[in-house]
């Protein structure tokens, strides 16, 4: 499997324009996990946005809290680490935002339910 | 550390004493104050949330989010392994998350694609009854609010 990958990269290397070579070969560049793992975190944001259409009674309180918390903490940390990681910062801001929005929906829904049950 | 005062024990003391000494060391204290430690700690919320959700109603599982989290944790397992220095706490966190998300994915698939509507209705009623009982207990405990 890795032989196929290495062959493909060898071919791709020839097509990368000279100006982009330093980026292409960067130690945190597109050939490394240090690039793709944070980039893949955007999938959590996309899934979160898709979930905005779910009814509030089907949302998981624990999962939304966990996502909001991790998003907020990592937004801060990505500015504290050396070097600053703007990609990580932006993705975590969005993770926190979608998590907090879903959390607000769940809390509102449960409050309404309680109020309705009391009547 | 010298073993001059510990002639009857193995060099440096037994495992327990050495462990305690490490916990009190400057090295460990500076680790506790680093992003290397607190970053992964922040991420542990995700697997713990998933493990808590395993006993809840499978209708609460979001197929999209669970799948996304599964691949996300796979990527970060490799990230934690390859980052310098290697971060085993982060690796453990994402390994646990992948296990938990896989369990949830299996429950989700089973509920929506293996069970038939009658079984789903029965499960729905079971969860509603359980929720009703829990609400009743709360009402008994706080009669006036």
């Amino acid at each position: 499997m890795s032989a196929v990958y290495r062959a493909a990269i060898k071919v791709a290397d020839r097509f990368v324009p000279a100006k982009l070579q330093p980026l292409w070969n960067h130690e945190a560049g597109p050939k490394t996990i240090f690039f793709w793992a944070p980039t893949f975190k955007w999938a959590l944001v996309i899934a979160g946005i898709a979930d905005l259409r779910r009814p509030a009674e089907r949302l998981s309180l624990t999962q939304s809290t966990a996502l909001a918390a991790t998003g907020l903490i990592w937004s801060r940390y990505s500015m504290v680490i050396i070097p600053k990681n703007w990609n990580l910062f932006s993705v975590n801001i969005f993770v926190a935002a979608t998590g907090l929005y879903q959390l607000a929906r769940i809390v509102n829904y449960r409050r309404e339910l309680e109020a309705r049950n009391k009547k | 550390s010298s073993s001059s005062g510990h002639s009857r024990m193995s060099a440096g003391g037994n495992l327990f004493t050495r462990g305690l000494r490490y916990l009190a060391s400057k090295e460990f204290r500076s680790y506790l104050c680093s992003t290397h430690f607190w970053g992964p700690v922040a991420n542990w919320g995700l697997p713990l949330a998933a493990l808590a959700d395993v006993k809840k109603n499978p209708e609460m599982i979001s197929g999209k989010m669970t799948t996304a989290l599964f691949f996300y944790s796979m990527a970060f397992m490799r990230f934690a392994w390859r980052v310098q220095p290697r971060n085993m706490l982060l690796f453990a966190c994402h390994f646990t998350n992948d296990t938990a998300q896989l369990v949830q994915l299996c429950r989700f698939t089973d509920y929506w694609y293996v069970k038939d509507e009658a079984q789903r209705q029965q499960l729905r009623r079971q969860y509603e009854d359980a929720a009703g009982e829990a609400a009743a207990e709360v009402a008994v405990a706080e009669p006036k609010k």
Side-chain angles (χ1 to χ4, degrees), chain B residues 51-124:
Chain B
L51 290 170
D53 279 352
V54 163
K55 42 179 134 100
K56 296 192 193 144
N57 189 345
E59 291 199 346
M60 308 279 276
I61 305 173
S62 158
K64 298 186 185 86
M65 185 56 94
T66 310
T67 315
L69 282 166
F70 179 69
F71 286 107
Y72 155 81
S73 274
M74 265 207 286
F76 271 95
M77 268 200 280
R78 179 168 169 81
F79 180 96
W81 187 258
R82 290 298 228 101
V83 78
Q84 286 281 41
R86 188 164 283 178
N87 198 329
M88 289 311 287
L89 184 60
L90 189 68
F91 183 84
C93 164
H94 284 293
F95 183 85
T96 316
N97 197 32
D98 255 353
T99 314
Q101 299 299 340
L102 194 57
V103 168
Q104 289 290 69
L105 262 179
C106 292
R107 289 181 72 222
F108 178 83
T109 317
D110 173 66
Y111 187 82
W112 291 108
Y113 297 98
V114 175
K115 290 190 156 63
D116 55 39
E117 188 56 35
Q119 291 169 303
R120 282 198 283 269
Q121 287 283 43
Q122 190 185 28
L123 275 170
R124 256 173 227 142

Side-chain angles (χ1 to χ4, degrees), chain A residues 33-38 40-41 43-48 50-51 53-54 57-63 66-67 69-70 73-74 77 80-81 88 110 118, chain B residues 34-35 38-40 42-43 45-46 49 52-53 56 59-66 68-69 71-72 75-76 78-79 82-84 90 101 112 124 145:
Chain A
I33 189 68
F34 307 115
F35 174 80
W36 289 108
F40 197 77
K41 204 161 183 180
L44 296 185
V45 177
I46 298 169
D51 272 354
R53 304 166 79 229
R54 275 169 75 87
E57 65 256 21
R58 298 267 192 97
L59 295 171
S60 163
L61 178 68
T62 37
Q63 191 172 75
L67 284 168
T70 191
I73 296 174
W74 273 103
Y77 275 137
V80 163
I81 54 175
L88 203 60
R110 295 201 180 182
K118 287 218 178 96
Chain B
S34 69
T35 322
W38 287 105
N43 269 326
L46 287 171
D53 279 352
K56 296 192 193 144
E59 291 199 346
M60 308 279 276
I61 305 173
S62 158
K64 298 186 185 86
M65 185 56 94
T66 310
L69 282 166
F71 286 107
Y72 155 81
F76 271 95
R78 179 168 169 81
F79 180 96
R82 290 298 228 101
V83 78
Q84 286 281 41
L90 189 68
Q101 299 299 340
W112 291 108
R124 256 173 227 142
K145 241 227 173 133

Side-chain angles (χ1 to χ4, degrees), chain B residues 15-32:
Chain B
L15 188 62
F16 184 67
T17 350
R18 268 187 288 154
L20 285 181
R21 218 177 297 145
Y22 175 69
L23 290 180
S25 71
K26 203 162 188 192
E27 193 190 331
F28 185 68
R29 272 179 285 149
S30 70
Y31 166 65
L32 282 185

